[in-house]
C-alpha cells in the first residue's frame, strides 16, 4: 500500500436534534457532500467541503470527551480559514447567523484576522497575510 499524504479533516460536534446546517453553506460557502440522517430526520453526520478541504459535523455521542461547544459554553479550538477577503467572509458569516467575537483588523505580525462564532458555538478565524 502506498503512503497516504495526510489531509486535515476536522470533525466538529453539534448538539443532538439538529436538522439544518445551512450556516456552513450560506455563511462559509461550503458544499455538503454527504449526509447520514437518524431515523427522525436529524443529522448524525454531515460531510462538507470548503474549497476542497473536507470537514464533518457529527452529532454528540455518549462519549463524554466529545461534545459540542454549547455543552460547556466554550470551545477548545479556533478553526483558521485563510481567505482572500477577510471582511467579505466576516460579513457573509454574520449574515448567515454568526456573531463577531473579534472584528477584522490588521496585526503587526503581518495578518489581517477576524473571528466569529457560528450558530453551534464553533469559532472561525478568517485570516489573510498582508
Amino acid at each position: 500500500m502506498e503512503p497516504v499524504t495526510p489531509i486535515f479533516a476536522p470533525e466538529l460536534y453539534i448538539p443532538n436534534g439538529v436538522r439544518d446546517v445551512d450556516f456552513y453553506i450560506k455563511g462559509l460557502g461550503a458544499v455538503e457532500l454527504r449526509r447520514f440522517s437518524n431515523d427522525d430526520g436529524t443529522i448524525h453526520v454531515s460531510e462538507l467541503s470548503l474549497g476542497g478541504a473536507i470537514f464533518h459535523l457529527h452529532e454528540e455521542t455518549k462519549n463524554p470527551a466529545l461534545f459540542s461547544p454549547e455543552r460547556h459554553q466554550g470551545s477548545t479550538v479556533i478553526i483558521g480559514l485563510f481567505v482572500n477577503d477577510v471582511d467579505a467572509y466576516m460579513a457573509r458569516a454574520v449574515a448567515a447567523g454568526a456573531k463577531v467575537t473579534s472584528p477584522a483588523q490588521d496585526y503587526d505580525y503581518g495578518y489581517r484576522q477576524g473571528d466569529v462564532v457560528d450558530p453551534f458555538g464553533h469559532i472561525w478565524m478568517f485570516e489573510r497575510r498582508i
Side-chain angles (χ1 to χ4, degrees), residues 33-45:
L33 302 176
R34 300 189 297 167
R35 179 181 288 194
F36 300 94
S37 298
N38 298 311
D39 291 340
D40 65 357
T42 60
I43 296 169
H44 177 63
V45 174

Side-chain angles (χ1 to χ4, degrees), residues 83 85-91 94 100-107 111-116 125-128:
V83 297
D85 188 338
V86 170
D87 299 281
Y89 266 82
M90 295 280 293
V94 167
V100 174
T101 54
S102 179
Q105 58 186 308
D106 295 343
Y107 289 93
Y111 284 91
R112 179 162 185 77
Q113 296 172 317
D115 298 353
V116 300
M125 177 190 296
F126 302 115
E127 50 192 325
R128 174 178 66 83

Side-chain angles (χ1 to χ4, degrees), residues 1-7:
M1 177 181 232
E2 291 185 41
V4 176
T5 301
I7 297 173

Side-chain angles (χ1 to χ4, degrees), residues 19-69:
R19 294 176 181 276
D20 180 9
V21 293
D22 279 352
F23 167 78
Y24 299 99
I25 296 161
K26 294 176 183 172
L28 300 180
V31 174
E32 188 174 49
L33 302 176
R34 300 189 297 167
R35 179 181 288 194
F36 300 94
S37 298
N38 298 311
D39 291 340
D40 65 357
T42 60
I43 296 169
H44 177 63
V45 174
S46 174
E47 182 177 79
L48 297 129
S49 172
L50 194 63
I54 303 255
F55 68 102
H56 296 93
L57 303 175
H58 195 296
E59 73 176 336
E60 288 185 316
T61 66
K62 293 180 182 184
N63 184 338
L66 304 172
F67 48 84
S68 71

